[in-house]
Amino acid sequence: MNRIHSFFVLGALVYLAPAAQARLEIVATTPDFGSIASEIAGSRGAVTTLAKPTEDPHFVDAKPSFIVKLNRADVLVEGGAELEIGWLPALLDQSRNVKLALGAPGRISCAQGISLVEIPTTLDRSRGDIHAAGNPHYLSDPVNAKIVAEHLANAFCQLDPKSCDAYRDNTKKFVGQLDRKMEEWDKLLEPFKGQRMVAYHNTWPYFARQFGLSIDLFLEPKPGIPPTPVHLAEVVSRMKADHIHVILVEPYQNRRTAEAIAADTGATVVDVTQFPGGIKGTDKGYIELMDYLVTSIARALGEGKK
Ligand SMILES: [Zn+2]
């Protein structure tokens, strides 16, 4: 009798154990949001990221497996500001998950609370500009990463109040690390204040503003529109006139176009990425990614100064 009773109790404990430690199933759209969500959730959440770090976040290759992941999720962490408008809405429709419906606590749009730049005064989608709600690449500014971290902590606390202390502790730790790193990054880029660079796509206005740089000339004539010979000729003449000697290129952009412009102008092509894991040496997470960006940009600007 006793043995049967003990067995039953043990069985009940085994059954209860996973439920007591249930983790939030979190889906992030892109690896930068996935990385910060992991920092904040810690052991209380399991994070899955949809886009690959080498993929254009505006044009992610939507796979059927994404629908299954979204269907099983408790939380969706998205950039918002129309970053994912080309591929996420259809997947969400098909995933039929009420937890991720607009306005539900499980739907976290990180753009909320961010002061977006470049919000168009007139909306004209016919010209093909894919930044119709303002520039959605705000995580290149570490101050915005802190805002996103706090936003995620608040949302996770609402969804899982029992683990709230852990989410707050993780946030404090992450924000503290960022604050210490910020001093280092400021120092590295300080000598280059006011310098201009060219980028393939308009990905870096928040990074530029934070560190006193100017990245306002692009190989794309408009965000999402491939370079044209007429536009590239204008870029070349402006680069020569203004002595701009650095071109930033991301993994999914056409490096050969950038190399041709570099050959014409004597500029250096610098490989950069918005996403942890987009380039070797950035896979550990957001802070390592920023380390890579700051050091590679400082190096390229320093070489041009000689
Ligand atoms: Zn963009």
Side-chain angles (χ1 to χ4, degrees):
M1 192 68 178
N2 253 350
R3 273 183 73 179
I4 291 167
H5 184 71
S6 314
F7 184 75
F8 174 75
V9 168
L10 186 65
L13 280 175
V14 168
Y15 176 73
L16 282 174
Q21 292 173 4
R23 297 196 298 175
L24 280 179
E25 291 295 330
I26 301 162
V27 170
T29 53
T30 54
D32 46 351
F33 295 109
S35 165
I36 299 177
S38 295
E39 296 280 356
I40 307 313
S43 60
R44 317 291 164 121
V47 179
T48 306
T49 298
L50 298 180
K52 286 191 206 121
T54 49
E55 250 178 327
D56 186 335
H58 295 293
F59 304 103
V60 171
D61 184 15
K63 298 190 187 72
S65 63
F66 291 180
I67 297 166
V68 180
K69 286 170 181 163
L70 287 165
N71 175 262
R72 292 177 185 160
D74 300 310
V75 189
L76 171 64
V77 179
E78 63 177 326
E82 299 199 358
L83 177 72
E84 303 95 342
I85 200 167
W87 56 278
L88 187 62
L91 294 171
L92 278 167
D93 277 352
Q94 292 174 73
S95 73
R96 297 171 191 275
N97 184 346
V98 289
K99 289 182 190 170
L100 311 185
L102 271 179
R107 180 77 174 268
I108 308 175
S109 172
C110 295
Q112 281 175 8
I114 303 285
S115 307
L116 296 175
V117 300
E118 301 166 358
I119 296 173
T121 44
T122 52
L123 192 58
D124 182 7
R125 289 176 204 274
S126 64
R127 291 182 302 170
D129 188 336
I130 51 172
H131 290 176
N135 193 300
H137 305 290
Y138 50 82
L139 269 190
S140 64
D141 177 355
V143 172
N144 285 339
K146 292 203 283 184
I147 295 170
V148 167
E150 302 281 359
H151 184 171
L152 292 178
N154 291 337
F156 294 168
C157 279
Q158 196 187 345
L159 289 158
D160 175 21
K162 279 192 300 229
S163 303
C164 191
D165 286 348
Y167 300 134
R168 299 275 178 228
D169 285 349
N170 294 342
T171 306
K172 218 173 141 186
K173 199 175 138 215
F174 179 65
V175 167
Q177 280 174 335
L178 271 179
D179 284 339
R180 284 190 294 279
K181 276 288 181 182
M182 246 341 240
E183 289 179 27
E184 208 179 288
W185 296 331
D186 271 334
K187 261 187 217 140
L188 277 166
L189 288 171
E190 174 71 36
F192 309 109
K193 284 237 185 310
Q195 293 239 4
R196 278 181 90 187
M197 287 178 279
V198 168
Y200 194 100
H201 177 83
N202 186 4
T203 305
W204 311 103
Y206 299 90
F207 181 91
R209 184 184 59 177
Q210 180 57 242
F211 295 107
L213 302 163
S214 177
I215 311 172
D216 58 353
L217 189 56
F218 313 105
L219 301 190
E220 288 179 342
K222 279 186 185 304
I225 307 293
T228 58
V230 172
H231 176 72
L232 290 176
E234 273 172 43
V235 171
V236 166
S237 62
R238 284 181 61 187
M239 284 178 73
K240 285 178 179 168
D242 299 342
H243 309 288
I244 304 173
H245 55 77
V246 173
I247 306 174
L248 306 177
V249 177
E250 295 171 72
Y252 48 84
Q253 294 162 352
N254 191 333
R255 202 178 195 282
R256 284 173 68 184
T257 304
E259 281 165 1
I261 302 303
D264 245 10
T265 56
T268 310
V269 176
V270 179
D271 293 295
V272 289
T273 175
Q274 304 170 61
F275 302 120
I279 288 175
K280 209 176 156 212
T282 63
D283 20 1
K284 277 191 200 139
Y286 180 81
I287 290 177
E288 194 183 46
L289 165 73
M290 290 306 301
D291 261 336
Y292 173 87
L293 280 175
V294 169
T295 50
S296 53
I297 287 172
R299 193 186 309 125
L301 288 171
E303 278 166 8
K305 260 192 156 182
K306 281 173 201 162

